[in-house]
Amino acid sequence: QVQLVESGGGLVQAGGSLRLSCAASSRTFSTYIMGWFRQAPGKERRFVAGIYQSGLTTHYADSVKGRFTISRDNAKNTVYLQMNSLKPEDTAVYYCAARSGVGIGFNRSEYDYWGQGTQVTVSS
């Protein structure tokens, strides 16, 4: 069982930055692929970024490439999402998730554990 707790969300103006953190309870954190998803009101939860166990390989949704950076610190059991040049359309609840399968999962159903989410609101 893995418990995930996100933090770092908030209200920011367009063009600003935020860094989200997701702390994991599991001692086997380093064995999981980690992902960030987001869900805007009335919309499906969508993949934002993913990172392999070593932290060396990452994947991003096209909408955030060049603006967001996912990273992890296995010694701290934490995954991060640095978000720069934020836009109003980035407004959503952001969730981190852990996957025990092979390969980055791009769909919600491919992840085994989820955090409770953190709200990010970008004002224009």
Side-chain angles (χ1 to χ4, degrees):
Q1 191 77 2
V2 179
Q3 292 185 328
L4 303 171
V5 179
E6 301 97 335
S7 61
L11 174 64
V12 64
Q13 288 188 333
S17 298
L18 283 174
R19 188 175 84 151
L20 305 183
S21 299
C22 173
S25 63
S26 174
R27 294 183 179 181
T28 59
F29 172 78
S30 64
T31 68
Y32 289 92
I33 291 169
M34 298 300 296
W36 285 97
F37 285 70
R38 66 186 182 187
Q39 187 167 16
K43 295 189 176 180
E44 294 183 353
R45 193 171 298 186
R46 293 183 178 272
F47 174 82
V48 173
I51 187 167
Y52 278 86
Q53 293 89 334
S54 66
L56 297 178
T57 302
T58 57
H59 291 271
Y60 297 92
D62 287 344
S63 58
V64 306
K65 279 181 182 176
R67 300 188 298 121
F68 289 12
T69 302
I70 187 172
S71 62
R72 65 191 296 164
D73 185 336
N74 288 337
K76 295 183 178 180
N77 287 356
T78 302
V79 62
Y80 304 96
L81 186 68
Q82 177 67 43
M83 305 186 295
N84 298 328
S85 302
L86 282 161
K87 304 175 181 180
E89 51 263 43
D90 295 318
T91 296
V93 178
Y94 284 71
Y95 298 88
C96 73
R99 168 172 163 77
S100 59
V102 176
I104 292 286
F106 296 98
N107 298 304
R108 178 178 182 175
S109 60
E110 296 176 282
Y111 285 77
D112 303 292
Y113 303 101
W114 291 86
Q116 82 290 348
T118 185
Q119 177 71 47
V120 171
T121 303
V122 184
S123 63
S124 57

